[in-house]
Amino acid sequence: MSKERGQWGTKLGFILAAVGSAVGLGNIWRYPYVAYENGGGAFLIPYFFALFTAGIPLMVLEYSIGHKFRGSTPMALARANKKWEWLGWWPSINSIIILMYYSMILGWALNYFFLAFSRGWGDDPNGFFFGQFLGLTDSPWNLGEMHWYILVAMAFIWFMNWYVCYKGISAGIEKFNKIVLPTLLVIMVIIVIRGLTLPGAVQGLETLLHPNWEKVLDYKVWIAAYGQIFFSLSIALGVMMTYASYLPKKTDIVNSAFMTALANSGFEFLAALGVFSILGYMANVQNVPVSEVVKGSIGLAFVVFPQGMNMMPGIFKVLLGVLFFGGLVFAGLTSSVSMVEAFSSPIIDKFGISRKKIVTTIAIVGFVISSVFATGAGLYFLDIIDNFINSFGLVGVGLMEAIIIGWFFGTHKVREHVNPISHYPLGRWWDVTVKYITPAVLIYMLTNNIIGNIVKPYGDYPISAVVILGWCVVAVTITAAVIIASKRWPEKTLTDYED
Ligand code: PHE
């Protein structure tokens, strides 16, 4: 089976696919408001700290292990040591669970793309979004109505996931990213240029960049920075190891990791510039401080942005909205495709099921399960599951990866693999980071997350919802990972590869 593994056509194709996975909803709607809420300009300090102490080092780690052992996340880790295979299944399962709600947000974005042509959200985008559009119920256990327009949009998203992954690595994922990613960049640049030339843009940027130094001392800000880096870079999610396994033998790993990470951060800043200059304009029109127009995560894209469109001059009333929501769909699709790949590739590797069969099965079953999110309780499901997978799944996997590779596998072995093929060799700084700094910070975060969630259960939800959709989902992902890992591999699969 290993002989049939797909390969990227070019290194650029791989970088584009990896950047495509990284750049997603996390960059466009999540980053701007997380940065704002966590100290504005001062957030850059924990952000860069997290990027250099966890983001890039773990990216190098994942690329190296995937490349060295030439397998999807569980196969690569099992080849390193059979005992670690479960740690490959865990993030792969997390990715497919994230996709259940990620496809819902993409379904919203697709609807808003069409609404943008006529600004169908009307004069009250807030009431429209939560009321008419989502029909949000009063509790996660009250599903309310199924919204066919969200369901149809989600069906389209799943169709695209299916279509791209069905075609395979270079003819599917690589080609798709080669078209979509440059388009997305053009869209973002247009939005940013228009944004920056609006009256009030400067106040918007000042709000984003103005440092609130007190916040730098708050540990929650640091947790937010690490969370943002993990989610945004798609690390500890089973994607990057798997993607790196499709690389040709001689590929500059260190350079690829830096390029992916920096491109992702570049996109993040670009999105923040665009969003905040538009917020500045809105504040300017209404003559209020920018802080009054900024809203939380989901609100920013689906409530505040439409409000902004209503106030735009001339043709930009329509154009900016169409570009923004179109861009959101594009950015999200390249990420969602990578989530399907993170889950299907291990199954192809281990169970020898054909790509076409497994991708089709995942698309159908995935769509059916994620249809629950098209009900009036979808937003609640998203909120709880997202919080728990991010706080425990991502941090837990990142921590285990650093410990296993840093302390048991040996960082020198990774350097020995990577340095002969990389232009800039990996220095000792990497060993120190993976062995000490990353684990120390992540242990601290995980402990705080666990205590925090026990002392004060997440959100204002019924406790049963937090237990079932939160704690139980995390428990199920780990248990499933351990069970699948206990199954036998076809003979010789784990030993037959050239590193
Ligand atoms: N990195 C993506 C984003 O920023 C999200 C993602 C999660 C991608 C899991 C792949 C796997 O939106």
Side-chain angles (χ1 to χ4, degrees):
M1 258 160 297
S2 54
K3 288 176 200 75
E4 289 161 25
R5 284 186 75 74
Q7 261 205 6
W8 304 110
T10 59
K11 182 181 153 201
L12 178 70
F14 158 70
I15 303 265
L16 284 179
V19 174
S21 169
V23 173
L25 303 175
N27 304 55
I28 303 181
W29 64 249
R30 199 168 184 275
Y31 177 78
Y33 93 90
V34 171
Y36 172 74
E37 275 184 359
N38 290 286
F43 182 69
L44 288 177
I45 296 170
Y47 177 86
F48 277 111
F49 194 82
L51 181 65
F52 287 103
T53 61
I56 293 176
L58 287 181
M59 182 80 89
V60 171
L61 184 155
E62 295 199 351
Y63 278 3
S64 312
I65 299 295
H67 185 252
K68 180 175 166 61
F69 292 106
R70 322 221 128 252
S72 57
T73 314
M75 178 147 98
L77 287 171
R79 281 178 171 169
N81 186 330
K82 180 73 181 80
K83 274 193 264 162
W84 302 335
E85 184 186 335
W86 69 276
L87 184 61
W89 287 103
W90 188 16
S92 307
I93 295 170
N94 284 343
S95 259
I96 205 73
I97 292 185
I98 290 178
L99 184 52
M100 299 301 143
Y101 64 76
Y102 207 85
S103 58
M104 165 187 81
I105 308 178
L106 283 176
W108 298 350
L110 190 58
N111 271 283
Y112 268 65
F113 168 76
F114 288 111
L115 286 170
F117 286 93
S118 59
R119 281 180 297 116
W121 43 70
D123 298 330
D124 174 19
N126 189 50
F128 175 82
F129 178 65
F130 293 106
Q132 200 178 328
F133 184 73
L134 290 185
L136 195 61
T137 60
D138 53 2
S139 142
W141 296 145
N142 176 5
L143 291 185
E145 273 173 46
M146 173 75 85
H147 302 295
W148 63 267
Y149 40 88
I150 300 181
L151 197 65
V152 170
M154 287 170 73
F156 173 76
I157 301 296
W158 278 101
F159 170 79
M160 290 303 292
N161 288 336
W162 169 81
Y163 182 76
V164 175
C165 291
Y166 187 87
K167 294 227 148 193
I169 304 307
S170 81
I173 301 180
E174 181 169 351
K175 204 164 164 199
F176 184 64
N177 277 286
K178 272 190 179 155
I179 303 167
V180 171
L181 216 57
T183 317
L184 178 64
L185 185 61
V186 173
I187 293 179
M188 290 307 294
V189 169
I190 298 177
I191 296 179
V192 170
I193 292 178
R194 176 66 278 208
L196 290 178
T197 50
L198 286 168
V202 177
Q203 285 96 301
L205 297 189
E206 246 170 37
T207 317
L208 173 69
L209 298 173
H210 182 79
N212 179 349
W213 292 112
E214 269 166 40
K215 285 258 184 177
V216 179
L217 300 174
D218 182 354
Y219 80 91
K220 288 207 181 102
V221 170
W222 289 80
I223 293 191
Y226 276 84
Q228 176 63 25
I229 287 289
F230 273 68
F231 187 82
S232 178
L233 284 179
S234 316
I235 46 178
L237 281 156
V239 173
M240 293 307 182
M241 254 188 228
T242 300
Y243 269 19
S245 75
Y246 304 129
L247 275 170
K249 263 188 161 179
K250 281 215 170 89
T251 307
D252 191 330
I253 296 292
V254 179
N255 168 286
S256 305
F258 272 87
M259 289 227 294
T260 317
L262 297 180
N264 180 63
S265 294
F267 251 105
E268 230 143 52
F269 293 130
L270 209 56
L273 286 184
V275 169
F276 270 81
S277 54
I278 291 170
L279 294 178
Y281 169 73
M282 294 169 66
N284 187 287
V285 171
Q286 295 165 288
N287 219 348
V288 293
V290 178
S291 53
E292 268 183 41
V293 278
V294 188
K295 276 237 180 73
S297 68
I298 286 148
L300 195 63
F302 295 96
V303 173
V304 183
F305 213 84
Q307 282 166 348
M309 294 310 103
N310 287 350
M311 298 174 195
M312 281 292 147
I315 142 176
F316 291 101
K317 267 189 191 333
V318 171
L319 190 63
L320 272 189
V322 170
L323 286 177
F324 179 78
F325 289 108
L328 215 50
V329 173
F330 274 178
L333 272 177
T334 52
S335 300
S336 68
V337 160
S338 75
M339 297 177 207
V340 174
E341 188 59 26
F343 189 64
S344 50
S345 180
I347 298 178
I348 300 171
D349 278 345
K350 183 158 187 171
F351 300 104
I353 301 174
S354 78
R355 164 174 293 274
K356 296 193 163 149
K357 248 193 217 152
I358 192 65
V359 168
T360 309
T361 312
I362 290 175
I364 295 171
V365 177
F367 172 65
V368 170
I369 297 178
S370 63
S371 65
V372 186
F373 288 84
T375 63
L379 181 64
Y380 299 133
F381 291 170
L382 150 82
D383 189 32
I384 301 175
I385 299 176
D386 179 64
N387 176 268
F388 275 79
I389 298 248
N390 277 302
S391 315
F392 301 107
L394 272 64
V395 179
V397 172
L399 173 63
M400 293 300 297
E401 276 181 1
I403 292 180
I404 279 177
I405 302 298
W407 291 90
F408 295 95
F409 182 73
T411 43
H412 62 284
K413 282 200 214 150
V414 173
R415 264 194 297 121
E416 281 159 19
H417 174 75
V418 161
N419 284 353
I421 45 176
S422 295
H423 186 71
Y424 293 104
L426 207 50
R428 291 253 167 226
W429 65 270
W430 186 76
D431 303 47
V432 174
T433 318
V434 169
K435 278 181 91 158
Y436 304 101
I437 305 182
T438 313
V441 182
L442 296 187
I443 287 175
Y444 176 75
M445 274 177 68
L446 201 57
T447 323
N448 265 305
N449 281 342
I450 294 175
I451 297 174
N453 270 287
I454 292 174
V455 175
K456 191 184 167 305
Y458 183 69
D460 294 322
Y461 299 107
I463 193 76
S464 59
V466 177
V467 170
I468 293 173
L469 298 167
W471 295 107
C472 287
V473 167
V474 174
V476 167
T477 55
I478 302 179
T479 316
V482 171
I483 293 175
I484 306 178
S486 70
K487 302 260 179 280
R488 284 176 149 273
W489 285 81
E491 216 167 323
K492 294 211 186 128
T493 321
L494 290 185
T495 46
D496 262 6
Y497 67 95
E498 285 175 65
D499 77 347

